Amino acid sequence: MSEPLPGHALVISPAEMAGRTGRYEKALSELEGLFADGEAYAARLAREGDRVIYHVDEFRPSDAAGDLITGISTLSPGRVGAEFHMTRGHIHARQDRAEIYHCLSGHGLMLMETLDGQTVVTELRPGVVAYVPPVHIHRSVNVGDTDLVTLFCYPADAGQDYGIIARSGGMRHRVVADGDGWRLEENSGYVPR
Ligand code: NI
């Protein structure tokens, strides 16, 4: 009998992401233009410097069709003006590729949008698995006061198109503070696609 081979394991621990093949970070300066309140954004940049807002650790075995990319996204809590910290957001370059996000800790939203401007929201709390259907723009928003940590998984040939959000002047809705909760607000700069 031949010896079994060790399988690959991605160790889910914010302190030690063993098994990852890559990591990227997004700093405040790379999120310029995302937030409505430009003055609040400039003030935070001046006060805090170019701090990291979120980072992603991933295991990407290949980019081949049929393979899977798995990873952990960690989005810090905070606001720029009334708006909560968010990821840049994207649609998959191959738009028909779906994705799941499993919330491990924190409190957030999976903010989604169809091409014709229909907003879809799934609230993320530990244990929730958010399904991002094919052809949905998606972004994470941290509406809590601790890190929003999610495990994601999507087809390895999906790719990301970030420009679709910029071309429309943002997503149709912004997520803003409302008392100690959140609400959606129409994005006045939104251009229907
Ligand atoms: Ni995605």
Side-chain angles (χ1 to χ4, degrees), residues 13-58:
S13 157
E16 180 220 358
M17 281 292 302
R20 71 184 175 197
T21 54
R23 176 191 176 96
Y24 68 87
E25 300 178 336
K26 280 280 173 278
L28 191 55
S29 66
E30 297 172 278
L31 302 180
E32 188 170 12
L34 249 62
F35 300 97
D37 190 338
E39 272 182 36
Y41 173 82
R44 276 202 51 186
L45 205 53
R47 193 168 65 239
E48 299 172 40
D50 200 13
R51 57 164 283 207
V52 171
I53 299 298
Y54 64 94
H55 66 269
V56 173
D57 296 287
E58 66 173 25

Side-chain angles (χ1 to χ4, degrees), residues 90 92 99 101 138 154 159-160:
H90 59 262
H92 293 149
E99 184 162 9
Y101 284 79
H138 48 286
Y154 66 100
Q160 280 91 14

Side-chain angles (χ1 to χ4, degrees), residues 133-162:
V135 203
H136 278 57
I137 298 161
H138 48 286
R139 133 181 308 161
S140 308
V141 183
N142 187 345
V143 299
D145 50 16
T146 59
D147 281 349
L148 175 66
V149 184
T150 51
L151 179 152
F152 58 81
C153 188
Y154 66 100
D157 65 346
Q160 280 91 14
D161 171 5
Y162 297 98

Side-chain angles (χ1 to χ4, degrees), residues 91 95 112-120 134-137 164 168 170-173 186 190-193:
I91 195 166
Q95 295 188 346
M112 295 170 272
E113 185 178 305
T114 61
L115 295 180
D116 59 0
Q118 176 68 56
T119 293
V120 181
V135 203
H136 278 57
I137 298 161
I164 193 165
S168 281
M171 291 180 74
R172 179 163 178 185
H173 287 98
E186 289 274 350
Y190 181 73
V191 181
R193 60 183 77 76

